[in-house]
Amino acid sequence: MNAWILGAGEWDAVVDLNGVLADPGDPNRLRGVHDFGDHLHPNDAGYEVMAEEVAGCF
């Protein structure tokens, strides 16, 4: 789904939050420093990175 959203060209802009939160060694997992502990949701540091990524689009 993420690849389709990023590559479809249907939107004026897309923010790839998976790209900034993913573990470089395993892109299907959250990077440890961004993981709340359930391997699914970001922690406070992860949300901060997400906010910075969105803010960088403006």
Side-chain angles (χ1 to χ4, degrees):
M1 179 61 92
N2 198 42
W4 178 77
I5 291 170
L6 292 172
E10 297 291 322
W11 302 272
D12 293 333
V14 176
V15 179
D16 183 10
L17 297 177
N18 183 65
V20 297
L21 294 177
D23 182 335
D26 184 358
N28 292 318
R29 296 184 62 102
L30 284 172
R31 189 177 305 203
V33 297
H34 300 146
D35 188 352
F36 179 72
D38 62 0
H39 310 297
L40 181 62
H41 296 95
N43 59 16
D44 289 345
Y47 282 116
E48 185 173 328
V49 168
M50 291 169 64
E52 289 170 3
E53 190 72 10
V54 171
C57 294
F58 297 99

